[in-house]
Amino acid sequence: GQAFALLNTFDDFGRGLGPAFVAWMIENMGGRQKAFNIGVDGWIFCGILNGMLFWTVEKDEENVRSAVESMLIQHKDCISTGGFVEEE
């Protein structure tokens, strides 16, 4: 859910500004090799963080299923009582 939306946002952001940022690093950090090494290090770091999503996906799915089931139960109660649901 939210994790993949965030991933997609930063992926698009990186595609747009990445080349400009690398060009800036080449000019200001001592050449192409150093700039690209920093870029690759950042890519590896982000890859590790993305890999860590592995441990959150199942819990995210469980939370969504629980929320949907809760909404369906409330909706069913609302229909069966003619629109009136008692608050707990």
Side-chain angles (χ1 to χ4, degrees), residues 31-88:
R32 290 176 56 91
Q33 184 173 356
K34 189 171 183 179
F36 278 98
N37 285 342
I38 292 170
V40 169
D41 290 343
W43 183 81
I44 290 170
F45 177 70
C46 289
I48 290 169
L49 291 178
N50 287 335
M52 292 171 66
L53 291 174
F54 170 81
W55 287 280
T56 67
V57 171
E58 288 182 6
K59 183 67 175 169
D60 289 344
E61 183 179 2
E62 181 182 319
N63 290 340
V64 169
R65 285 179 191 258
S66 176
V68 169
E69 286 175 5
S70 176
M71 284 188 277
L72 288 174
I73 289 169
Q74 283 183 332
H75 184 68
K76 180 181 175 184
D77 290 343
C78 185
I79 290 173
S80 66
T81 59
F84 299 103
V85 177
E86 294 181 22
E87 296 292 326
E88 294 182 16

